[in-house]
Amino acid sequence: EKQLAESGGGLVEPGGSLRLSCAVSGFIFTNAWLHWVRQAPGKGLEWVGRIKSRAGGETTDYAAPVKGRFIISRDDSKTTVFLQMNSLKIEDTAVYYCSVDSGHSVAWWGQGTLVTVSS
Amino acid sequence: QTVVTQEPSFSVSPGGTVTLTCGLSSGSVSTSHYPSWYQQTPGQSPRTLIYSTNTRSSGVPDRFSGSILGNKAALTITGAQADDESDYYCMLCMDSGISVFGGGTRLTVL
């Protein structure tokens, strides 16, 4: 069964850091490209970034609002993908979803983890 | 900055057919953007309907179909049902490597 389980969300002050994890099972993880997508309260979906597989050079790309502040990494031995979020802003408050790519799309979704940036 | 455009809202009668579109603020959408479509009901994770323009995700009924219509990607729902009432999002992959979601379309079935 394909499963994705995000963790690590919570309350953080502006300027702080947080690291999200996503445990993935049921996939050939080493071949998987992985995305992070977020959704602010009452708003639409926003693509955050993506990491390719090792065969793809583990290349990362990021949306403009998070580029230079967020870092996506992966640990194939633990079938886990991470989102390191630094210099957090109030506007980063959102539910963060990890997902597995198929056909250059977000194909499978986790349940999401809530990140709240507030003083 | 790339903006992906969608109709903010749409309505369809039960049993009817509706086509939602996904465009670019500058330029045309093509298969090289790998258009994908997502359905989301309040409080739930999104569900992938269509990827790579017209490939249905596993378990998605065939009354959902994707295509390119003119210079936009399109999602057509035939025989609309009450539980199709949801928010629908498209996503496009850009040459730069980034992906961008549209603002979403709220579909009402009435």
Side-chain angles (χ1 to χ4, degrees), chain B residues 6-7 10 12 15-22 35-39 49-51 53-56 60-70 72-81 84 88-90 105 107:
Chain B
Q6 294 185 249
E7 299 87 358
F10 229 116
V12 61
T17 295
V18 63
T19 296
L20 311 182
T21 68
C22 176
S36 52
W37 292 90
Y38 308 87
Q39 178 191 48
L49 298 175
I50 300 286
Y51 61 94
T53 306
N54 55 15
T55 303
R56 269 185 298 277
V60 174
D62 59 8
R63 55 198 185 78
F64 291 91
S65 62
S67 63
I68 299 291
L69 287 181
K72 296 182 178 182
L75 173 71
T76 299
I77 307 171
T78 57
Q81 301 178 359
D84 294 336
Y88 291 85
Y89 297 91
C90 69
T105 297
L107 181 67

Side-chain angles (χ1 to χ4, degrees), chain A residues 35 37 39 43-47 50 61-63 97 102-112, chain B residues 34 36 38 40 44-48 50-52 57 89 91 93 96-103:
Chain A
H35 299 261
V37 174
Q39 187 169 34
K43 303 296 185 182
L45 299 174
E46 181 182 20
W47 185 84
R50 180 224 63 235
D61 285 290
Y62 300 95
Y97 298 98
S102 179
H104 297 274
S105 77
V106 176
W108 288 273
W109 299 76
Q111 289 303 303
Chain B
Y34 300 96
S36 52
Y38 308 87
Q40 188 181 34
Q44 300 295 314
S45 296
R47 171 196 185 195
T48 303
I50 300 286
Y51 61 94
S52 295
S57 194
Y89 297 91
M91 187 180 84
C93 300
S96 60
I98 70 166
S99 293
V100 183
F101 279 98

Side-chain angles (χ1 to χ4, degrees), chain A:
Chain A
E1 183 183 0
K2 294 176 168 63
Q3 290 189 327
L4 300 94
E6 302 92 340
S7 60
L11 176 64
V12 61
E13 292 186 345
S17 297
L18 206 58
R19 188 195 198 202
L20 306 183
S21 300
C22 176
V24 179
S25 59
F27 298 89
I28 302 175
F29 188 85
T30 52
N31 294 343
W33 292 16
L34 302 146
H35 299 261
W36 286 94
V37 174
R38 68 183 181 182
Q39 187 169 34
K43 303 296 185 182
L45 299 174
E46 181 182 20
W47 185 84
V48 171
R50 180 224 63 235
I51 185 167
K52 295 184 179 180
S53 63
R54 179 172 293 183
E58 297 189 7
T59 303
T60 53
D61 285 290
Y62 300 95
V66 308
K67 193 171 183 179
R69 299 188 298 124
F70 289 13
I71 300 170
I72 300 174
S73 61
R74 59 190 294 158
D75 184 336
D76 287 3
S77 68
K78 296 180 179 176
T79 66
T80 299
V81 61
F82 304 98
L83 180 64
Q84 177 68 43
M85 303 185 293
N86 301 320
S87 304
L88 281 161
K89 305 176 181 180
I90 290 174
E91 54 264 39
D92 294 320
T93 294
V95 174
Y96 284 74
Y97 298 98
C98 70
S99 52
V100 174
D101 182 284
S102 179
H104 297 274
S105 77
V106 176
W108 288 273
W109 299 76
Q111 289 303 303
T113 186
L114 176 62
V115 173
T116 303
V117 185
S118 174
S119 54

